[in-house]
Amino acid sequence: MKMIYNVEDKPGFGQTLVFAFQQILAILAATIAVPAIIGNDMSASAALFGAGVGTIVYLLFTKFKSPVFLGSSFAFIGSMFAAFAGGVSMSLGYLGLILGACFAGLVYVLIAIVVKFVGVGWVNRIMPAVVIGPTVAIIGLSLAGNAIGDLTSGNVKQTVDVVTQAVTESGETVNIVTQETQQLASGYLCLGIGLVTLFVTMFCSVYGKKMLKMIPFIIGICAGYVIAAVCTVIGTNCGIDALMVIDFSKFQSMKWVPDFTFLTAFSGNYEFGNAGSMAAYIGTIAVAYVPVAFVVFAEHIADHKNLSSIIERDLLKDPGLSRTLLGDGIGSAVGSFFGGCPNTTYGESVGCVAISGNASVVTIVTTAILCIVFSFVGPFVTFLATIPSCVMGGICIALYGFIAVSGLKMIQHVDLNENSNLFTVSVILIAGIGGLEVTFGAVTITEVAAALILGILANVFLHNKKEREELETEL
């Protein structure tokens, strides 16, 4: 893929700031979504700070050769819930978040040491293009439901009573009242705003000149936000709930200083009854985090293979898989110390590189620094948090689509007339799109990891059969 700015290029200062802001818009929704899902007073601004610090650590380990941003990982959500469930106090739950991220980072460090001595040849043998290509496509396709779901969603919610009727054993009809959260904005209005965002983004990317062509996300998001803001103002003044898309009330509760995870973790009494209780809790955290780290390792390889194909440089060789693993693992642990969320390389960031044609690592460094600075600017973080889901849905259709297409491009030179290749690609796509997940207790192998593992097994099995047939023919 032709890059306008390559990894080592340095755009002008003003351009770099604009490109970095575009990266922030691309990764923000997912980065702050994880602490919102976990709850327990986790801070979105602290997660943003942790993502910035973690990215800088990653860039240091990769010698500033891998232009990708690290944000909050969704794969560890179950593990993070386990940290709070097993803790007897809020401070212990926060300490569990830090310990868990350290356990996960240690897994990456150990794998990196193995890779350093064994090399990466085995990666290319068990994950050739016929395996890694459709797996990368699955990364984008597995997120398609999120993008479409957001496309019809506004941010203003209300809780309403829902009355349902039930018949008792005696035949009496009774009313059951439950509470349900509903959005105020019309789904059709949100859909229209999301589509405007998408088409403005596409227009700028295809027909834009120079700078406009490189910042389509910013223009698209701004266009969608303005329309949503106008509708919300009209709806507020005229009392029309269906027009209320943006939740401006978030500005009333904004915080200026991030609530760092380590401050809460080290501020309380952990209330362990004995050493056995402490060991049991630490063991619970290890069991919750370590297996997930092995699963995310598979996605780590897929992400870096995808980014390598986009920038046309093999990151598994230079700076090397051992360095990307160290950067990801240690960066994740450091980021969690501040924000509580283990980090991972973001497909949204990779998609942003692909669409904008800007692979400059200076942009990623600037993005990380701005995330750290902006985490202390309450109004800015709150403004980003008020970007409507429908606007981000429109953007993510393009982002996730580019990830999927870049994966499919990897198999354009694979001979799909060969049944061995055809079956391998088929099982990966169907397992991934079908949402194959395998759960062992608190550990869930995601559809991406499950599809990759199944694809590896299919490829090894069919490849060995093909080699035996070729050997028999030669004899």
Side-chain angles (χ1 to χ4, degrees):
M1 187 174 293
K2 180 67 174 178
M3 291 289 106
I4 298 174
Y5 289 107
N6 289 313
V7 175
E8 66 281 352
D9 292 338
K10 299 177 180 178
F13 179 75
Q15 287 182 315
T16 300
L17 289 179
V18 175
F19 294 147
F21 183 63
Q22 179 169 250
Q23 277 277 349
I24 291 175
L25 292 176
I27 59 88
L28 180 83
T31 298
I32 67 176
V34 174
I37 293 171
I38 299 300
N40 290 287
D41 294 327
M42 289 192 67
S43 170
S45 56
L48 190 64
F49 184 98
V53 173
T55 299
I56 290 176
V57 172
Y58 170 82
L59 293 173
L60 287 170
F61 274 98
T62 56
K63 300 188 293 187
F64 297 93
K65 293 184 177 182
S66 181
V68 63
F69 188 89
L70 272 63
S72 305
S73 173
F74 281 78
F76 288 96
I77 286 179
S79 306
M80 296 171 71
F81 276 126
F84 284 107
V88 295
S89 65
M90 185 68 75
S91 58
L92 183 57
Y94 274 68
L95 180 62
L97 296 179
I98 297 175
L99 288 175
C102 290
F103 279 129
L106 181 60
V107 170
Y108 272 37
V109 170
L110 293 176
I111 297 176
I113 293 174
V114 173
V115 169
K116 182 67 176 178
F117 288 99
V118 176
V120 296
W122 61 273
V123 175
N124 293 324
R125 284 194 297 272
I126 68 173
M127 297 186 213
V130 69
V131 171
I132 208 67
T135 302
V136 170
I138 289 301
I139 293 176
L141 295 175
S142 65
L143 295 169
N146 296 335
I148 300 303
D150 287 344
L151 197 61
T152 56
S153 300
N155 288 7
V156 183
K157 313 288 185 180
Q158 68 175 358
T159 301
V160 298
D161 292 333
V162 178
V163 180
T164 56
Q165 291 185 333
V167 180
T168 64
E169 293 181 358
S170 61
E172 181 183 359
T173 301
V174 295
N175 292 330
I176 300 176
V177 180
T178 57
Q179 289 190 326
E180 184 177 293
T181 301
Q182 298 177 348
Q183 71 173 31
L184 295 183
S186 164
Y188 292 108
L189 173 63
C190 294
L191 175 62
I193 294 173
L195 292 179
V196 168
T197 303
L198 173 62
F199 276 86
V200 169
T201 301
M202 292 191 300
F203 181 86
C204 292
S205 181
V206 175
Y207 297 105
K209 303 297 182 182
K210 296 181 179 179
M211 190 67 177
L212 194 66
K213 189 181 183 69
M214 298 186 68
I215 55 170
F217 295 147
I218 292 180
I219 306 301
I221 290 175
C222 287
Y225 194 96
V226 168
I227 296 174
V230 170
C231 290
T232 302
V233 170
I234 294 174
T236 302
N237 292 330
C238 299
I240 305 175
D241 290 346
L243 295 180
M244 299 179 67
V245 182
I246 300 178
D247 184 7
F248 288 117
S249 66
K250 292 181 179 180
F251 284 98
Q252 299 174 1
S253 58
M254 66 182 179
K255 295 182 178 180
W256 287 85
V257 179
D259 295 327
F260 292 124
T261 299
F262 72 90
L263 294 177
T264 304
F266 301 141
S267 65
N269 180 8
Y270 303 134
E271 302 176 8
F272 283 116
N274 51 55
S277 298
M278 179 185 296
Y281 179 66
I282 294 175
T284 299
I285 297 299
V287 171
Y289 275 84
V290 170
V292 179
F294 282 102
V295 173
V296 178
F297 163 66
E299 298 180 4
H300 173 96
I301 293 179
D303 282 338
H304 284 80
K305 281 277 192 176
N306 183 23
L307 183 59
S308 297
S309 69
I310 290 172
I311 66 176
E312 297 182 346
R313 302 184 184 191
D314 191 348
L315 297 175
L316 300 189
K317 293 183 178 179
D318 187 19
L321 180 58
S322 61
R323 284 185 170 272
T324 64
L325 285 169
L326 286 173
D328 201 342
I330 297 177
S332 179
V334 173
S336 184
F337 182 79
F338 294 100
C341 305
N343 295 330
T344 188
T345 49
Y346 258 21
E348 291 89 340
S349 178
V350 176
C352 193
V353 170
I355 294 177
S356 65
N358 175 28
S360 171
V361 77
V362 173
T363 297
I364 304 300
V365 173
T366 306
T367 302
I369 294 173
L370 289 181
C371 284
I372 294 172
V373 173
F374 287 156
S375 67
F376 290 92
V377 183
F380 181 77
V381 175
T382 306
F383 161 72
L384 295 179
T386 62
I387 296 176
S389 298
C390 56
V391 171
M392 292 310 302
I395 289 294
C396 287
I397 287 178
L399 277 175
Y400 301 156
F402 260 70
I403 296 171
V405 172
S406 63
L408 295 176
K409 287 177 64 178
M410 293 183 188
I411 59 174
Q412 62 183 332
H413 299 302
V414 173
D415 185 6
L416 294 180
N417 290 318
E418 285 282 349
N419 282 351
S420 57
N421 294 332
L422 184 60
F423 274 115
T424 300
V425 174
S426 298
V427 298
I428 294 174
L429 291 177
I430 297 304
I433 296 174
L436 174 64
E437 289 187 349
V438 182
T439 301
F440 302 97
V443 179
T444 297
I445 300 179
T446 65
E447 61 264 39
V448 174
L452 176 58
I453 293 170
L454 185 59
I456 291 173
L457 294 175
N459 181 64
V460 170
F461 172 72
L462 297 174
H463 182 71
N464 288 341
K465 180 177 183 298
K466 182 180 178 181
E467 284 187 341
R468 288 197 300 269
E469 289 178 346
E470 291 177 347
L471 180 60
E472 290 174 358
T473 301
E474 292 176 0
L475 294 176

